[in-house]
Amino acid sequence: MTLTFIHGGTVVSATGSQLLDVLVDGETIVAVVQPGSTALGADLTATAEVVIDATGKYVIPGGVDGHTHMQMPFGGTEASDTFETGTRAAAWGGTTTIVDFVVQTPGERLQDTLGAWHQKAAGKCAIDYGFHQIIGEVNDESLKGMSELVSEGVTSFKLFMAYPGVFYSTDGQILRAMQSAGDLGALLMMHAENGIAIDVLVEQAIARGDTAPYFHGTSRPWQMEEEATHRAIMLAQLTGAPLYVVHVSAKQALEQIATARGNGQNVFGETCPQYLYLSLEEQLGAPGFEGAKWVCSTPLRSRAEGHQDELWRYLRTGDVTTVSTDHCPFCMKDQKEMGIGDFSKIPNGIGGVEHRMDLMFQGVKSGKISLERWVEVCCTTPARMFGMYPRKGVISPGADADIVIYDPNGHTSIGLGKTHHMNMDYSAYEGFEIDGHVDTVLSRGRVVIDDGNYLGSAGHGRFVKRELSQNLI
């Protein structure tokens, strides 16, 4: 067992920051003590096998990204990051745990699809991983299968109010799934957009000749997100199921979530960096076909309407519970280009698993969120939300030694040939300059990133058997 001693740094938690030293024995944190403490006995800077000087830097829990899609089949193609390339990129960016989505399509058993995703990931991941389950067909067999999956550590299930003919569930199916989730204590996740109405708007746009990527955004207006979010909240209230609304982009949808939370309902909202930084006008509206790089659903929203500022505000008030990436990368060549002349054929997805910690730290630098809130929404609350706390998301004795040494005075340039390690031929954040830098990353005590070098390996990451959500009211 390797003894690792991290000294001189400021340990940041969701509740405060303090100069502390951290001792790791093998894969586990065994002590967090005041600098110079004699409680640990010998001079660990001389006796520990690995010594990390974190002076002037932050020592934070490894990031937990609760929403990724590695190797996800979608729209006639597949997400370009494998579990190997995607988890390696995550490690570069200070994320040490992901929760990915198993996909059930009609005619498949939940248990069989989970087995298929285990085969995809096993022996490939550089960091630890868990699974959510997408229910693509709500029927008696799937509802029965939910119980079996919970016992196997898959304790959250996702439904779609969008994508008719692919993942779409009717209100009656959603009601039944929520009833089952409520009985099990499992978390029901929701892609909340009115897919039936959106399909009409898309048809009408294409018929008018409005085929550029910009019209992907205008054909999925905020009213479709607000309406579906409200409907999901009402169904959750009726059934008593805890509800987690994924990738919220519209300020009106978040207002619905904030109202429900104010009434004491177990409703949680997730947003993503793209909705805080990017916009309909600047990215989707880029000249020619360039806007295809930023086609995702829910779509980027109008900066003129103030969605981005309101999302930051809801992040400060706590009505945004977590920040994930919805990492679902597609290359421009041969993938996004499938939609030239018809935006509805562009694969929906943005890659960002590598950049979440850096992008959210910019909120600290600009005064939009506190240092502690950064750790809370990127590390601690996702671990609690998805049943991995206190094993993940905290620097505390007994926790896994998932630790990031972050230099607030460092600098990161995002883009190809710079810090982009995702399996994509472009970056959604090309040209962003970040005040801050991930210096060293430990995954269960093993140094996987250090001083610009990747030291990890495929197969180091293990499947995390999750408990029920620890973040309910």
Side-chain angles (χ1 to χ4, degrees):
M1 301 288 277
T2 301
L3 201 65
T4 301
F5 184 53
I6 302 168
H7 69 94
T10 300
V11 173
V12 183
S13 73
T15 55
S17 308
Q18 190 176 359
L19 283 171
L20 293 168
D21 293 342
V22 180
L23 181 63
V24 174
D25 189 1
E27 297 188 346
T28 307
I29 297 169
V30 294
V32 182
V33 299
Q34 296 282 347
S37 170
T38 59
L40 301 179
D43 178 9
L44 289 166
T45 58
T47 58
E49 293 149 280
V50 177
V51 177
I52 299 172
D53 183 357
T55 302
K57 301 175 184 179
Y58 297 133
V59 181
I60 65 172
V64 178
D65 190 340
H67 189 156
T68 67
H69 297 283
M70 307 300 177
Q71 294 175 240
M72 178 181 175
F74 187 86
T77 185
E78 183 175 275
S80 56
D81 261 321
T82 64
F83 278 93
E84 182 173 353
T85 65
T87 57
R88 184 168 64 229
W92 273 104
T95 287
T96 55
T97 307
I98 64 167
V99 190
D100 206 79
F101 283 87
V102 177
V103 179
Q104 179 209 30
T105 56
E108 296 179 312
R109 296 173 69 248
L110 292 186
Q111 299 91 327
D112 294 338
T113 58
L114 176 59
W117 254 255
H118 272 302
Q119 287 185 337
K120 284 186 181 188
K124 305 293 196 306
C125 295
I127 58 173
D128 288 353
Y129 62 96
F131 290 131
H132 310 291
Q133 175 74 53
I134 290 174
I135 304 179
E137 184 176 31
V138 178
N139 55 27
D140 290 344
E141 186 176 25
S142 293
L143 297 175
K144 184 179 178 182
M146 290 172 69
S147 176
E148 187 174 328
L149 264 62
V150 166
S151 69
E152 295 184 23
V154 178
T155 57
S156 40
F157 301 88
K158 183 180 179 183
L159 298 178
F160 287 77
M161 302 169 100
Y163 305 125
V166 183
F167 293 130
Y168 175 78
S169 292
T170 66
D171 287 355
Q173 291 171 324
I174 291 168
L175 177 71
R176 294 187 69 199
M178 284 184 170
Q179 288 171 333
S180 293
D183 290 344
L184 292 168
L187 186 65
L188 202 293
M189 309 174 78
M190 187 65 71
H191 178 132
E193 289 185 290
N194 188 322
I196 300 296
I198 285 171
D199 274 9
V200 173
L201 294 172
V202 169
E203 251 180 61
Q204 291 172 343
I206 299 296
R208 287 194 305 268
D210 293 337
T211 60
Y214 175 81
F215 298 103
H216 168 79
T218 59
S219 64
R220 306 181 87 95
W222 60 262
Q223 290 90 342
M224 299 295 94
E225 186 180 354
E226 181 187 22
E227 184 278 330
T229 301
H230 176 74
R231 188 158 30 105
I233 289 169
M234 292 297 99
L235 290 169
Q237 184 185 59
L238 178 65
T239 58
L243 174 66
Y244 180 94
V245 185
V246 298
H247 52 53
V248 182
S249 64
K251 62 183 181 180
Q252 295 87 352
L254 265 170
E255 185 178 4
Q256 294 289 331
I257 291 168
T259 299
R261 290 174 59 78
N263 291 331
Q265 194 174 343
N266 269 312
V267 175
F268 307 93
E270 162 200 278
T271 197
C272 310
Q274 54 264 37
Y275 304 123
L276 295 165
Y277 285 100
L278 310 178
S279 74
L280 171 70
E281 298 93 341
E282 297 157 302
Q283 276 74 40
L284 278 178
F289 191 66
E290 194 75 3
K293 293 177 177 178
W294 298 281
V295 166
C296 61
S297 298
T298 56
L300 305 182
R301 299 295 178 192
S302 168
R303 194 176 300 281
E305 294 177 354
H307 294 278
Q308 292 79 4
D309 288 343
E310 280 294 280
L311 263 60
W312 279 110
R313 184 176 71 82
Y314 281 119
L315 194 57
R316 287 192 296 276
T317 63
D319 293 303
V320 170
T321 303
T322 64
V323 176
S324 302
T325 59
D326 190 12
H327 178 75
C328 193
F330 298 99
C331 293
M332 280 291 280
K333 184 174 174 55
D334 297 330
Q335 291 190 303
K336 294 284 190 177
E337 289 176 353
M338 293 166 64
I340 291 176
D342 183 349
F343 70 81
S344 68
K345 292 183 170 57
I346 300 171
N348 280 224
I350 286 180
V353 73
E354 184 173 349
H355 304 311
R356 180 181 63 120
M357 299 298 293
D358 279 332
L359 289 167
M360 295 312 298
F361 184 69
Q362 298 316 284
V364 178
K365 297 292 285 188
S366 64
K368 291 185 174 71
I369 57 173
S370 69
L371 184 63
E372 291 77 14
R373 185 74 176 135
W374 173 51
V375 168
E376 186 176 12
V377 298
C378 291
C379 312
T380 307
T381 299
R384 287 174 52 82
M385 193 78 243
F386 301 120
M388 296 183 285
Y389 185 88
R391 179 177 172 186
K392 305 291 186 185
V394 64
I395 294 178
S396 179
D400 284 353
D402 296 340
I403 301 171
V404 175
I405 313 301
Y406 196 89
D407 184 359
N409 299 310
H411 187 81
T412 303
S413 297
I414 295 180
L416 289 169
K418 297 176 182 176
T419 61
H420 176 176
H421 301 90
M422 298 173 291
N423 188 30
M424 300 174 64
D425 57 7
Y426 73 95
S427 170
Y429 303 98
E430 189 78 36
F432 274 46
E433 300 294 336
I434 301 295
D435 291 325
H437 187 266
V438 173
D439 280 4
T440 304
V441 178
L442 285 76
S443 169
R444 297 196 332 274
R446 176 180 175 180
V447 176
V448 293
I449 301 291
D450 188 50
D451 194 26
N453 297 299
Y454 176 68
L455 306 175
S457 62
H460 166 76
R462 294 178 185 162
F463 174 69
V464 179
K465 186 175 180 180
R466 298 185 293 116
E467 300 173 14
L468 297 176
S469 177
Q470 299 145 330
N471 204 54
L472 305 186
I473 299 170

